Amino acid sequence: MRQAAIVLTLAAVIGRVMVPSAQAPPDQSGPAFEGASVKPNTSGERASTLRMPAAGNVTIVNAPVRVIIRTAFGVRDYQIIGAPNLIDTERFDIIAKPPGETPPRDIPLMLQRLLAERFSLRARRAVREQKVYTLTIARGDGGLGPQISPSSDDCAAIGAKRRPGQAPIPSDGPIQCGERMGIGLVALGARPLTRLLPTLEENVGRQVLDRTGLTGLFDHTLRWSVPTAT
């Protein structure tokens, strides 16, 4: 099955020198940060953080450029076409100050402009036909498997009973009114099955469409094997 998907096409190499490109200057009409510090991170660490609070500075630590692009354009990896290897190998620390009273919806636009000015990134949106996966019911009788069942939890009542500072949801076992994501694991408590789709897409590298026809809230646990490095 094929479906048109929105893709982000990158037309320029991201250079190590953080200066605006002399050609095809970026659009200067959109929202912009008041100031931004962009520095390469050569620590060799794998962990990265990205904080975009409702107020205050946007802080990005040790993030690959790919992560910044995903955040700025609201796309997934399979929607980024034609990007150079540098977006995965080069990592950066960024501290950017938005103007006061900046609405949250403007922050991605500011990141787009920062990428254009500091990384010489040129991007355009296009529609391409791509292969997709579909999520369907496997059993011919429409029955559900042992790891999924309709949820009867009253999440409003459960949330009201939870005390401030209560211990976090355990890393294993049943889950109530929440989500747990891990390596080879997605566990949902009283959540729609559509919550599975983003994690599935990240792992299979394609868009995943819900064709189950199941509505409502479910308790569901999905586990899969993860290849180990040899």
Side-chain angles (χ1 to χ4, degrees), residues 30-148:
F33 293 112
E34 287 186 351
S37 168
V38 180
K39 298 179 180 179
N41 185 306
T42 59
S43 66
E45 299 291 333
R46 296 181 58 86
S48 61
T49 59
L50 192 154
R51 300 187 183 91
M52 296 194 299
N57 292 342
V58 172
T59 304
I60 300 172
V61 179
N62 196 36
V65 179
R66 178 182 292 275
V67 171
I68 306 171
I69 292 172
R70 287 200 314 244
T71 303
F73 289 90
V75 294
R76 301 194 182 281
D77 286 339
Y78 64 84
Q79 294 174 297
I80 300 175
I81 307 298
N85 292 336
L86 286 173
I87 72 167
D88 294 309
T89 59
E90 301 294 316
R91 291 172 174 260
F92 292 87
D93 296 337
I94 299 175
I95 300 176
K97 180 182 179 182
E101 305 299 326
T102 296
R105 66 176 180 273
D106 282 354
I107 298 298
L109 299 176
M110 293 179 181
L111 285 174
Q112 291 179 26
R113 184 162 170 178
L114 183 144
L115 285 166
E117 293 177 346
R118 301 293 187 94
F119 292 79
S120 299
L121 183 147
R122 301 293 176 263
R124 65 182 180 89
R125 292 185 183 271
V127 177
R128 292 189 179 184
E129 198 171 77
Q130 294 183 317
K131 293 181 178 180
V132 301
Y133 286 108
T134 57
L135 187 65
T136 61
I137 297 177
R139 292 174 53 168
D141 62 1
L144 303 179
Q147 298 298 318
I148 179 173

Side-chain angles (χ1 to χ4, degrees), residues 29 34 36 51 78 123 126 131 144-145 166 196-197 211 216 228:
S29 61
E34 287 186 351
R51 300 187 183 91
Y78 64 84
K131 293 181 178 180
L144 303 179
Q166 188 174 9
L196 284 173
L197 302 185
R211 294 290 186 262
T228 57

